[in-house]
Amino acid sequence: MGRGETQRTAIDELLALPESNQLRQNTLKLITNLRVIIVQQQETLTEDEQELIMNLSQAYEQWEETTKLEGVQQGQRQVVENLLRFRFGSVDEELSRVVDSLLQLTPEEFTPLCLELSREELLARFVSHQ
């Protein structure tokens, strides 16, 4: 990965890639693993390894933030699907098209809609807008 400025430049270029870029995601996972391994060897770190950890820290922090956000989004998706399943017995193909639209709302906004609107009202409100 090079040293010093080369490392910083490589990490800056990686972080400049769109978050949806698969290469970016895979490389951030690998960098995170490398950082963890190096940090675990703290007692025997060379000066180069200490510099590498500093250079990897920004990438690690961004990976951690993205991972947390993905977890929150996945959790909200499960909540919406569970509310719809509770209300209507299952989430079929038609109702599954409503989920993404509901996720654009806050939990305070989507919860009453899931519990109060009829299936037809949900479909009319959200599917026709896509």
Side-chain angles (χ1 to χ4, degrees), residues 5-23:
E5 189 60 35
T6 303
Q7 287 175 359
R8 284 189 287 281
T9 301
I11 290 169
D12 289 344
E13 289 175 6
L14 174 67
L15 296 177
L17 293 172
E19 287 190 20
S20 60
N21 183 296
Q22 195 60 47
L23 174 64

Side-chain angles (χ1 to χ4, degrees), residues 67-96:
T67 302
K68 285 179 185 176
L69 179 60
E70 288 170 359
V72 168
Q73 290 170 338
Q74 184 61 33
Q76 285 186 335
R77 175 172 294 281
Q78 287 178 328
V79 168
V80 168
E81 289 174 352
N82 286 340
L83 287 170
L84 294 175
R85 199 171 290 111
F86 170 78
R87 181 81 196 285
F88 302 111
S90 67
V91 178
D92 59 18
E93 190 175 321
E94 277 188 312
L95 279 177
S96 68

Side-chain angles (χ1 to χ4, degrees), residues 55 84 99 102 128:
N55 290 334
L84 294 175
V99 173
L102 287 168
S128 62

Side-chain angles (χ1 to χ4, degrees), residues 6-71:
T6 303
Q7 287 175 359
R8 284 189 287 281
T9 301
I11 290 169
D12 289 344
E13 289 175 6
L14 174 67
L15 296 177
L17 293 172
E19 287 190 20
S20 60
N21 183 296
Q22 195 60 47
L23 174 64
R24 179 184 193 273
Q25 294 302 319
N26 292 340
T27 305
L28 283 175
K29 286 179 189 175
L30 292 171
I31 285 174
T32 299
N33 290 338
L34 175 62
R35 184 182 180 277
V36 168
I37 290 167
I38 293 171
V39 168
Q40 288 176 346
Q41 301 171 353
Q42 278 185 339
E43 293 177 18
T44 60
L45 290 181
T46 66
E47 190 174 312
D48 286 342
E49 290 170 330
Q50 290 172 355
E51 183 177 0
L52 178 58
I53 288 173
M54 287 178 26
N55 290 334
L56 296 177
S57 291
Q58 182 183 4
Y60 173 77
E61 289 168 10
Q62 199 165 70
W63 173 84
E64 185 177 47
E65 183 179 312
T66 300
T67 302
K68 285 179 185 176
L69 179 60
E70 288 170 359

